[in-house]
């Protein structure tokens, strides 16, 4: 497929070209641009329920996020049900920002899973993106990997 569109796959369905494109984009954004030194590949990519979502061509993503099942200690608002999903590793190629790519990926995830509670930990400067999709902030902002984050929840 050469046309840009939203794609989704679990680990065992990713082709090597798709995986290479995802790894390359995550490396470009998190390691090279944001200088995050924490390990990006935490083993959760391979969990059977993890969904990889990207926008672009099959092997050339320009936007990405992963959708995970929460760990036992996943932080969420105390007065809310535990989340069914966690959105993470949201990345957009710097050359394609401002075109609604992350917005489209979040909308696609919510079209599929929006009836279930979802949590995410947003870089604070992009929290408005998630607020437009019904996420609300919870807890105090915190610093992770040298970047201010805020917890966000959507029932």
């Amino acid at each position: 497929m050469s046309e840009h569109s939203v794609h989704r796959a679990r680990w065992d369905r990713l082709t090597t070209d798709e995986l290479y494109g995802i790894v390359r984009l995550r490396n470009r954004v998190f390691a090279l641009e944001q200088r995050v030194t924490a390990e990006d590949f935490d083993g959760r990519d391979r969990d059977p329920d993890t969904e990889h979502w990207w926008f672009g061509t099959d092997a050339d993503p320009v936007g990405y996020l992963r959708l995970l099942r929460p760990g036992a200690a996943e932080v969420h608002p105390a007065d809310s049900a535990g989340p069914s999903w966690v959105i993470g590793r949201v990345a957009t190629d710097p050359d394609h920002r401002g075109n609604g790519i992350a917005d489209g990926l979040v909308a696609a995830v919510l079209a599929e899973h929006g009836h279930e509670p979802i949590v995410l930990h947003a870089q604070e400067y992009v929290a408005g993106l998630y607020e437009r999709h019904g996420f609300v902030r919870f807890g105090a902002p915190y610093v992770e990997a040298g970047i201010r984050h805020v917890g966000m929840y959507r029932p």
Side-chain angles (χ1 to χ4, degrees):
M1 171 180 281
S2 60
E3 183 178 323
H4 282 68
S5 58
V6 174
H7 303 265
R8 171 178 65 163
R10 291 203 166 121
W11 181 264
D12 63 349
R13 299 290 184 187
L14 287 170
T15 69
T16 55
D17 286 340
E18 290 166 344
L19 180 58
Y20 180 80
I22 289 166
V23 168
R24 187 170 171 255
L25 177 61
R26 282 171 48 174
N27 181 68
R28 180 174 188 192
V29 171
F30 300 126
L32 300 177
E33 179 187 359
Q34 296 182 350
R35 306 273 189 240
V36 174
T37 58
E39 179 67 47
D40 179 29
F41 300 100
D42 56 6
R44 302 290 310 275
D45 292 307
R46 298 172 61 172
D47 287 351
D49 288 339
T50 296
E51 296 179 4
H52 300 272
W53 292 73
W54 70 97
F55 179 81
T57 63
D58 285 341
D60 188 24
V62 295
Y64 170 83
L65 66 76
R66 73 176 182 182
L67 192 64
L68 306 167
R69 291 295 185 180
E74 183 63 52
V75 179
H76 63 281
D79 59 345
S80 301
S84 296
W85 295 100
V86 180
I87 292 175
R89 302 297 198 266
V90 181
T92 302
D93 185 299
D95 295 336
H96 294 272
R97 291 191 184 138
N99 295 317
I101 293 169
D103 186 69
L105 285 170
V106 172
V109 165
L110 294 178
E112 185 70 25
H113 297 288
H115 59 284
E116 301 170 273
I118 301 173
V119 71
L120 59 87
H121 306 280
Q123 293 181 4
E124 192 172 36
Y125 77 96
V126 295
L129 160 72
Y130 305 108
E131 289 171 332
R132 289 192 299 272
H133 289 281
F135 286 87
V136 294
R137 297 173 193 225
F138 70 90
Y142 58 95
V143 175
E144 182 178 311
I147 302 166
R148 283 181 59 90
H149 283 71
V150 62
M152 303 192 80
Y153 180 82
R154 186 177 188 276

